[in-house]
Amino acid sequence: MSQVSKEEVLKQVSDALVELFEVNVDDISPSAQLYTDLDLDSIDAVDLVVHLQKVTGKKIKPEEFKEVRTVDDVVNSVTALLQEK
């Protein structure tokens, strides 16, 4: 897989948030807090991880997502995962 840009990952994450949780696209920014700004809960976070695993074809370890709080955290985690061999 070629290198994926953070912008591409941000688009995937944004699309997932809109599609899965009906988040308003205008509310999504790298600094948006998943739990407070976007009203996600821990179950939603798991659903997001499952969706991103399907999109990326990579296994996301739960401990990698424990520290995730913002949209940018998600983007950074997924980007790092995609850059692994």
Side-chain angles (χ1 to χ4, degrees):
M1 174 160 199
S2 63
Q3 293 288 37
V4 176
S5 72
K6 286 180 73 170
E7 290 76 25
E8 291 171 297
V9 175
L10 177 60
K11 178 163 178 14
Q12 288 285 354
V13 171
S14 297
D15 289 349
L17 289 166
V18 170
E19 182 185 322
L20 298 173
F21 312 113
E22 298 174 358
V23 171
N24 185 328
V25 74
D26 296 332
D27 293 339
I28 301 170
S29 71
S31 63
Q33 297 281 327
L34 297 177
Y35 303 113
T36 52
D37 298 336
L38 303 181
D39 267 350
L40 299 189
D41 60 26
S42 56
I43 310 275
D44 294 335
V46 170
D47 289 343
L48 180 60
V49 169
V50 169
H51 177 81
L52 292 171
Q53 287 182 154
K54 287 179 188 161
V55 169
T56 63
K58 298 273 190 173
K59 184 90 176 89
I60 300 171
K61 297 179 196 77
E63 59 271 15
E64 289 176 10
F65 254 73
K66 269 204 302 246
E67 300 304 314
V68 167
R69 296 287 176 262
T70 66
V71 170
D72 199 44
D73 292 342
V74 176
V75 170
N76 289 333
S77 293
V78 172
T79 304
L81 200 64
L82 291 171
Q83 291 172 349
E84 288 176 5
K85 296 284 177 257

